[in-house]
Amino acid sequence: MAQKPALLIIDMQNDFASAHAVLPVAGAQAVITPLTQLLSLFRGKHLPVFHIVRVHEPDGSDVEWFRADLFKDKPFAVRGSHSAAVIDELTPVPGEHLIEKVRMSAFIGTTLDLMLRTLGVNIVVVGGIQTPNCIRTTVFDAMAFNYETILVDDATGAQTKEIHEANVLDMKNIGVKILHAADVGPWLDSR
């Protein structure tokens, strides 16, 4: 079977990753440069790119129960708002896909799996924020859906280096390939 990768960029939105974020994720700023490198690489090779964004209804009716109070105090990622949009540095271009989600995994309640299969994608390359939550759940679901899964270590971030590294080790232990952004180009060329 021919191998076809796609890039999944998770939650790199104004509310989480911009300089004026409502709920800033520690480590988000550090992953912008590696993500722009990956994005350029995938665009240059005309490979599929998916921007996965968390969005919520303005009334918070689709927010997880454990984040309901937080949302009441600081509404975040409200559908249609500038805050929910992808940060300027990674703005999608025509031909790239934007997938909205309301849970941590990019696969839960979305069309991501259907779209990947329709495009003939069987390898996902994952980056974004944050490692123990949306990255990890997306990666585990990708493995469960039988996608070869690549985590780009320096293009993912978490609250602390220790949290990030512990979660990367867990993902590596289930068979996820761990690469650095600089290694993705040579890896793609070897396919």
Side-chain angles (χ1 to χ4, degrees):
M1 172 197 291
Q3 296 182 323
K4 184 174 182 183
L7 177 62
L8 309 183
I9 300 176
I10 312 291
D11 291 351
M12 293 300 291
Q13 298 163 251
N14 290 316
D15 263 353
F16 312 129
S18 75
H20 306 294
V22 171
L23 293 175
V25 172
Q29 291 288 307
V31 304
I32 294 173
T33 297
L35 285 171
T36 59
Q37 293 166 352
L38 292 173
L39 196 51
S40 292
L41 185 63
F42 273 73
R43 286 173 175 168
K45 293 185 175 289
H46 305 287
L47 292 169
V49 173
F50 288 81
H51 299 268
I52 316 295
V53 295
R54 176 179 279 265
V55 295
H56 291 296
E57 295 299 324
D59 66 359
S61 58
D62 56 358
V63 174
E64 299 101 324
W65 66 268
F66 55 89
R67 290 185 175 167
D69 288 339
L70 174 63
F71 188 87
K72 284 179 191 172
D73 290 340
K74 287 184 180 179
F76 57 89
V78 174
R79 181 182 310 281
S81 71
H82 174 72
S83 298
V86 172
I87 62 172
D88 290 344
E89 297 90 333
L90 304 172
T91 299
V93 298
E96 294 177 355
H97 307 282
L98 184 70
I99 302 283
E100 295 182 348
K101 66 184 177 76
V102 295
R103 292 296 180 261
M104 291 183 195
S105 174
F107 288 95
I108 298 295
T110 72
T111 59
L112 180 59
D113 180 52
L114 176 64
M115 292 177 72
L116 290 170
R117 292 184 192 285
T118 300
L119 293 171
V121 170
N122 49 14
I123 304 169
V124 293
V125 177
V126 181
I129 53 174
Q130 72 165 310
T131 314
N133 299 333
C134 299
I135 297 294
R136 182 183 172 121
T137 57
T138 297
V139 163
F140 272 68
D141 285 349
M143 294 292 284
F145 280 117
N146 217 30
Y147 291 97
E148 181 180 344
T149 306
I150 313 299
L151 178 76
V152 186
D153 188 23
D154 57 335
T156 56
Q159 293 293 333
T160 68
K161 180 181 176 185
E162 294 77 19
I163 291 170
H164 173 74
E165 288 175 352
N167 281 276
V168 170
L169 180 60
D170 281 348
M171 289 183 266
K172 182 179 179 182
N173 287 338
I174 66 161
V176 175
K177 184 176 188 73
I178 310 299
L179 293 176
H180 291 288
D183 300 323
V184 174
W187 173 81
L188 283 172
D189 291 341
S190 72
R191 306 311 270 144

